[in-house]
Amino acid sequence: YSQARAFIDGICKPLAMGVTGVALVAVSDILPIHSLALGVSALAIIWLALVRKTYSVYVKGLIEGLGTRLFDLPQENTALHHQSIEPHIKQALRSASSDDLPYLLSIMGELEEVDWAPEMRLLLRRKQPEVKVTALNYLKQSGNKLDFPAILENTKHPLPEVRQAAVSTAVALCGETAMDVVEASLRDPHPEVQAEAAIGLIEIGNLNGLLTGFAALKTMIESDNTATRSAAVLPLSRMQIAGKTTLFLELLNDTDKEVRSAALQSCINCPDPQLVPVLLSKLRDPASSEQVVDALFAFGSLTLDYLDAHTESVEVREMFYESNCLPNVLVRIGGVSALNILRKGLD
């Protein structure tokens, strides 16, 4: 289909315009101008009728493709989405089976500037946890305080991932109104929900919430339980607070592999020059080197600045030859600075 459309747009249309121009020049010497104008007008009307008919067939084909999961959104025209496809996707979302929902949700994510809030509120009533989480995450950005009763109901859902999303959405939409609900989630049996509640109380900004949230987060980070410490890492990385780097330095050197792994994944959210040498030292560990490479790449110019200042050090030079991890970081970052550092390191 895309090849056929490219052929028409790239060859047939220009050729048709050229042939039409030549024909008009030839006919103008034979027919009067007014007769020629009437003929062109008639052809234009016929052309408009054909375009309208073709458009209807095209939209019908897109809708059929939507029903058979063959609809390829990136191939289509954006204006056409909103005018013709959007109502059908909305209707399909309201009545879709559990098997069809993931496909429709993937299409929905590609359509920008469309308000899906009414459909998300209906999907929030569905039983599938992944659908509930998707709906909650959408309403977090586009919902309002009137959604609080439905969100409150999901803070008591049997699955922790739904409760966690509900707590996050309640904080974003309702602020202090949700404090009691969020504070109650600190007693949730799952540490991921506890961490989300602690961060939520801090984000609300109320003094009591700040004190309670920081105390709960500190308790989690200092816990003897590996799962509890790991759960606190990602929410901590989202916070914009002084002293966060010091905590991450401790977590990156935690005695437990699971906590160190969680800290490496979360480092991407909080680039800091102080973390670069710690990350570089962890390139030697094959078990975590891939995560370290991703983090150093995400740090970008911070990584380049450190390496440029320490290229002559024995430790950094050894890293260039011990494995291809550090050269890979520089290749992924790219640019003249990265190339110069790579040349210095390999000299």
Side-chain angles (χ1 to χ4, degrees):
Y1 165 74
S2 58
Q3 291 179 344
R5 188 165 67 181
F7 175 76
I8 291 171
D9 291 341
I11 297 178
C12 294
K13 283 184 179 179
L15 183 61
M17 287 188 286
V19 171
T20 302
V22 172
L24 286 174
V25 171
V27 172
S28 62
D29 294 332
I30 302 172
L31 297 175
I33 295 297
H34 69 276
S35 299
L36 186 60
L38 288 174
V40 170
S41 300
L43 288 173
I45 293 172
I46 295 171
W47 174 255
L48 288 174
L50 288 173
V51 168
R52 187 173 181 82
K53 177 64 176 177
T54 304
Y55 176 84
S56 300
V57 173
Y58 176 60
V59 171
K60 183 180 178 182
L62 291 179
I63 295 169
E64 289 176 355
L66 183 65
T68 56
R69 303 191 188 185
L70 295 176
F71 179 59
D72 186 8
L73 186 70
Q75 298 282 347
E76 310 307 330
N77 178 271
T78 304
L80 182 62
H81 295 163
H82 296 188
Q83 296 174 7
S84 304
I85 300 303
E86 176 192 331
H88 296 282
I89 296 178
K90 287 191 171 188
Q91 183 59 39
L93 279 170
R94 292 170 179 265
S95 57
S97 66
S98 300
D99 294 335
D100 290 336
L101 269 176
Y103 169 71
L104 292 171
L105 289 173
S106 69
I107 294 177
M108 182 203 79
E110 296 290 336
L111 287 172
E112 299 177 356
E113 299 179 2
V114 178
D115 181 17
W116 302 102
E119 287 69 35
M120 291 298 106
R121 293 183 179 106
L122 289 175
L123 291 180
L124 195 54
R125 302 173 188 172
R126 296 287 189 107
K127 293 182 179 180
Q128 303 99 303
E130 64 276 10
V131 174
K132 284 183 173 292
V133 170
T134 299
L136 286 165
N137 288 337
Y138 184 89
L139 292 174
K140 181 178 179 179
Q141 305 296 328
S142 304
N144 56 54
K145 292 185 177 182
L146 297 177
D147 296 314
F148 185 56
I151 296 167
L152 176 61
E153 181 181 342
N154 282 282
T155 60
K156 302 172 184 176
H157 193 274
L159 294 177
E161 58 265 33
V162 178
R163 298 198 300 274
Q164 183 179 0
V167 168
S168 178
T169 303
V171 170
L173 294 184
C174 305
E176 288 192 42
T177 306
M179 268 196 65
D180 291 341
V181 175
V182 178
E183 192 168 351
S185 296
L186 288 174
R187 298 184 291 275
D188 193 279
H190 285 79
E192 292 82 7
V193 184
Q194 296 172 24
E196 194 65 55
I199 298 299
L201 288 171
I202 295 169
E203 289 177 348
I204 287 172
N206 177 283
L207 179 58
N208 288 332
L210 285 169
L211 295 173
T212 305
F214 277 120
L217 189 61
K218 184 175 185 293
T219 301
M220 293 186 71
I221 292 172
E222 295 175 351
S223 171
D224 293 331
N225 184 281
T226 298
T228 300
R229 295 201 306 279
S230 297
V233 174
L234 181 58
L236 175 64
S237 72
R238 303 200 317 254
M239 295 177 60
Q240 301 299 321
I241 55 170
K244 182 172 64 174
T245 300
T246 303
L247 290 174
F248 258 92
L249 289 171
E250 295 178 9
L251 292 165
L252 285 168
N253 293 306
D254 195 276
T255 55
D256 190 273
K257 179 181 176 181
E258 182 182 335
V259 178
R260 294 197 302 272
S261 177
L264 281 172
Q265 290 177 336
S266 302
C267 267
I268 294 173
N269 296 330
C270 49
D272 189 292
Q274 296 181 53
L275 295 177
V276 176
V278 180
L279 291 172
L280 287 170
S281 68
K282 294 187 177 299
L283 280 175
R284 292 187 171 94
D285 182 4
S288 60
S289 59
E290 186 174 343
Q291 289 177 304
V292 176
V293 168
D294 290 339
L296 289 170
F297 167 68
F299 278 32
S301 60
L302 296 179
T303 300
L304 295 181
D305 291 343
Y306 181 87
L307 290 173
D308 190 40
H310 297 84
T311 307
E312 302 301 327
S313 70
V314 175
E315 185 180 6
V316 171
R317 281 191 168 277
E318 287 177 350
M319 290 181 190
F320 277 99
Y321 294 99
E322 287 176 354
S323 73
N324 62 353
C325 291
L326 188 52
N328 283 344
V329 171
L330 293 170
V331 169
R332 285 181 62 182
I333 294 175
V336 177
S337 297
L339 180 60
N340 289 336
I341 293 170
L342 185 60
R343 285 174 176 169
K344 289 180 185 178
L346 296 176
D347 282 345

mmCIF file of all heavy atoms in Angstrom, residues 215-236:
data_model
loop_
_atom_site.group_PDB
_atom_site.id
_atom_site.type_symbol
_atom_site.label_atom_id
_atom_site.label_comp_id
_atom_site.label_asym_id
_atom_site.label_seq_id
_atom_site.Cartn_x
_atom_site.Cartn_y
_atom_site.Cartn_z
ATOM 1 N N ALA A 215 10.691 10.895 56.574
ATOM 2 C CA ALA A 215 10.966 9.880 57.601
ATOM 3 C C ALA A 215 10.745 8.474 57.049
ATOM 4 O O ALA A 215 11.553 7.562 57.282
ATOM 5 C CB ALA A 215 10.070 10.118 58.823
ATOM 6 N N ALA A 216 9.664 8.310 56.301
ATOM 7 C CA ALA A 216 9.374 6.992 55.726
ATOM 8 C C ALA A 216 10.420 6.593 54.698
ATOM 9 O O ALA A 216 10.870 5.432 54.656
ATOM 10 C CB ALA A 216 7.982 7.011 55.077
ATOM 11 N N LEU A 217 10.839 7.552 53.856
ATOM 12 C CA LEU A 217 11.838 7.256 52.830
ATOM 13 C C LEU A 217 13.189 6.905 53.467
ATOM 14 O O LEU A 217 13.872 5.971 53.033
ATOM 15 C CB LEU A 217 11.989 8.460 51.903
ATOM 16 C CG LEU A 217 12.841 8.259 50.654
ATOM 17 C CD1 LEU A 217 12.248 7.178 49.758
ATOM 18 C CD2 LEU A 217 12.964 9.565 49.872
ATOM 19 N N LYS A 218 13.557 7.625 54.512
ATOM 20 C CA LYS A 218 14.813 7.350 55.216
ATOM 21 C C LYS A 218 14.786 5.948 55.828
ATOM 22 O O LYS A 218 15.774 5.202 55.751
ATOM 23 C CB LYS A 218 15.032 8.395 56.302
ATOM 24 C CG LYS A 218 16.357 8.280 57.046
ATOM 25 C CD LYS A 218 16.530 9.446 58.008
ATOM 26 C CE LYS A 218 17.907 9.405 58.678
ATOM 27 N NZ LYS A 218 18.060 8.260 59.576
ATOM 28 N N THR A 219 13.646 5.591 56.405
ATOM 29 C CA THR A 219 13.507 4.252 56.990
ATOM 30 C C THR A 219 13.662 3.161 55.940
ATOM 31 O O THR A 219 14.309 2.134 56.179
ATOM 32 C CB THR A 219 12.136 4.124 57.679
ATOM 33 O OG1 THR A 219 12.025 5.114 58.707
ATOM 34 C CG2 THR A 219 11.956 2.735 58.292
ATOM 35 N N MET A 220 13.104 3.392 54.739
ATOM 36 C CA MET A 220 13.197 2.408 53.664
ATOM 37 C C MET A 220 14.637 2.252 53.177
ATOM 38 O O MET A 220 15.112 1.142 52.948
ATOM 39 C CB MET A 220 12.285 2.810 52.502
ATOM 40 C CG MET A 220 10.808 2.764 52.810
ATOM 41 S SD MET A 220 9.781 3.076 51.348
ATOM 42 C CE MET A 220 10.054 1.549 50.441
ATOM 43 N N ILE A 221 15.331 3.378 53.008
ATOM 44 C CA ILE A 221 16.712 3.329 52.499
ATOM 45 C C ILE A 221 17.638 2.622 53.487
ATOM 46 O O ILE A 221 18.584 1.935 53.092
ATOM 47 C CB ILE A 221 17.205 4.750 52.193
ATOM 48 C CG1 ILE A 221 16.434 5.327 51.000
ATOM 49 C CG2 ILE A 221 18.703 4.765 51.888
ATOM 50 C CD1 ILE A 221 16.706 6.785 50.732
ATOM 51 N N GLU A 222 17.351 2.781 54.772
ATOM 52 C CA GLU A 222 18.194 2.178 55.808
ATOM 53 C C GLU A 222 17.723 0.795 56.227
ATOM 54 O O GLU A 222 18.319 0.182 57.118
ATOM 55 C CB GLU A 222 18.225 3.105 57.032
ATOM 56 C CG GLU A 222 18.888 4.454 56.751
ATOM 57 C CD GLU A 222 18.800 5.397 57.930
ATOM 58 O OE1 GLU A 222 18.070 5.063 58.901
ATOM 59 O OE2 GLU A 222 19.464 6.456 57.903
ATOM 60 N N SER A 223 16.695 0.286 55.580
ATOM 61 C CA SER A 223 16.119 -1.017 55.953
ATOM 62 C C SER A 223 17.112 -2.160 55.695
ATOM 63 O O SER A 223 17.949 -2.093 54.784
ATOM 64 C CB SER A 223 14.838 -1.256 55.167
ATOM 65 O OG SER A 223 14.367 -2.572 55.345
ATOM 66 N N ASP A 224 16.978 -3.215 56.465
ATOM 67 C CA ASP A 224 17.775 -4.426 56.244
ATOM 68 C C ASP A 224 17.199 -5.286 55.127
ATOM 69 O O ASP A 224 17.860 -6.214 54.657
ATOM 70 C CB ASP A 224 17.844 -5.256 57.541
ATOM 71 C CG ASP A 224 18.631 -4.543 58.630
ATOM 72 O OD1 ASP A 224 19.536 -3.757 58.282
ATOM 73 O OD2 ASP A 224 18.330 -4.766 59.823
ATOM 74 N N ASN A 225 15.985 -4.967 54.714
ATOM 75 C CA ASN A 225 15.304 -5.752 53.686
ATOM 76 C C ASN A 225 15.721 -5.264 52.293
ATOM 77 O O ASN A 225 15.574 -4.078 51.963
ATOM 78 C CB ASN A 225 13.787 -5.636 53.859
ATOM 79 C CG ASN A 225 13.021 -6.516 52.885
ATOM 80 O OD1 ASN A 225 12.859 -6.161 51.729
ATOM 81 N ND2 ASN A 225 12.572 -7.664 53.350
ATOM 82 N N THR A 226 16.232 -6.186 51.481
ATOM 83 C CA THR A 226 16.719 -5.819 50.143
ATOM 84 C C THR A 226 15.615 -5.233 49.268
ATOM 85 O O THR A 226 15.812 -4.218 48.593
ATOM 86 C CB THR A 226 17.311 -7.059 49.447
ATOM 87 O OG1 THR A 226 18.427 -7.522 50.197
ATOM 88 C CG2 THR A 226 17.753 -6.733 48.033
ATOM 89 N N ALA A 227 14.439 -5.862 49.260
ATOM 90 C CA ALA A 227 13.338 -5.395 48.416
ATOM 91 C C ALA A 227 12.902 -3.992 48.811
ATOM 92 O O ALA A 227 12.544 -3.171 47.950
ATOM 93 C CB ALA A 227 12.162 -6.367 48.514
ATOM 94 N N THR A 228 12.935 -3.703 50.096
ATOM 95 C CA THR A 228 12.532 -2.374 50.571
ATOM 96 C C THR A 228 13.516 -1.313 50.102
ATOM 97 O O THR A 228 13.121 -0.248 49.622
ATOM 98 C CB THR A 228 12.433 -2.372 52.102
ATOM 99 O OG1 THR A 228 11.466 -3.336 52.515
ATOM 100 C CG2 THR A 228 12.016 -1.002 52.615
ATOM 101 N N ARG A 229 14.809 -1.584 50.222
ATOM 102 C CA ARG A 229 15.815 -0.616 49.761
ATOM 103 C C ARG A 229 15.726 -0.417 48.249
ATOM 104 O O ARG A 229 15.819 0.706 47.755
ATOM 105 C CB ARG A 229 17.230 -1.080 50.144
ATOM 106 C CG ARG A 229 17.475 -1.135 51.628
ATOM 107 C CD ARG A 229 18.960 -1.085 51.980
ATOM 108 N NE ARG A 229 19.764 -2.092 51.300
ATOM 109 C CZ ARG A 229 19.869 -3.364 51.676
ATOM 110 N NH1 ARG A 229 19.194 -3.801 52.727
ATOM 111 N NH2 ARG A 229 20.643 -4.214 51.020
ATOM 112 N N SER A 230 15.549 -1.509 47.524
ATOM 113 C CA SER A 230 15.455 -1.415 46.057
ATOM 114 C C SER A 230 14.247 -0.598 45.629
ATOM 115 O O SER A 230 14.314 0.190 44.672
ATOM 116 C CB SER A 230 15.366 -2.816 45.445
ATOM 117 O OG SER A 230 16.527 -3.562 45.710
ATOM 118 N N ALA A 231 13.127 -0.785 46.325
ATOM 119 C CA ALA A 231 11.894 -0.079 45.959
ATOM 120 C C ALA A 231 12.019 1.427 46.142
ATOM 121 O O ALA A 231 11.346 2.207 45.452
ATOM 122 C CB ALA A 231 10.729 -0.612 46.794
ATOM 123 N N ALA A 232 12.875 1.856 47.073
ATOM 124 C CA ALA A 232 13.018 3.288 47.348
ATOM 125 C C ALA A 232 13.878 3.997 46.321
ATOM 126 O O ALA A 232 13.836 5.230 46.215
ATOM 127 C CB ALA A 232 13.610 3.484 48.745
ATOM 128 N N VAL A 233 14.649 3.249 45.522
ATOM 129 C CA VAL A 233 15.647 3.868 44.654
ATOM 130 C C VAL A 233 15.011 4.692 43.529
ATOM 131 O O VAL A 233 15.357 5.863 43.333
ATOM 132 C CB VAL A 233 16.580 2.798 44.058
ATOM 133 C CG1 VAL A 233 17.525 3.434 43.048
ATOM 134 C CG2 VAL A 233 17.374 2.119 45.155
ATOM 135 N N LEU A 234 14.097 4.106 42.766
ATOM 136 C CA LEU A 234 13.517 4.809 41.613
ATOM 137 C C LEU A 234 12.749 6.054 42.028
ATOM 138 O O LEU A 234 12.956 7.131 41.447
ATOM 139 C CB LEU A 234 12.635 3.869 40.799
ATOM 140 C CG LEU A 234 11.995 4.471 39.545
ATOM 141 C CD1 LEU A 234 13.071 5.004 38.606
ATOM 142 C CD2 LEU A 234 11.126 3.444 38.830
ATOM 143 N N PRO A 235 11.849 5.979 43.027
ATOM 144 C CA PRO A 235 11.179 7.222 43.452
ATOM 145 C C PRO A 235 12.165 8.280 43.933
ATOM 146 O O PRO A 235 11.980 9.474 43.684
ATOM 147 C CB PRO A 235 10.265 6.745 44.600
ATOM 148 C CG PRO A 235 10.033 5.303 44.343
ATOM 149 C CD PRO A 235 11.310 4.807 43.734
ATOM 150 N N LEU A 236 13.228 7.853 44.622
ATOM 151 C CA LEU A 236 14.238 8.796 45.090
ATOM 152 C C LEU A 236 14.885 9.529 43.919
ATOM 153 O O LEU A 236 15.141 10.732 43.985
ATOM 154 C CB LEU A 236 15.301 8.054 45.903
ATOM 155 C CG LEU A 236 16.509 8.878 46.365
ATOM 156 C CD1 LEU A 236 16.066 9.960 47.334
ATOM 157 C CD2 LEU A 236 17.558 7.977 47.006
#
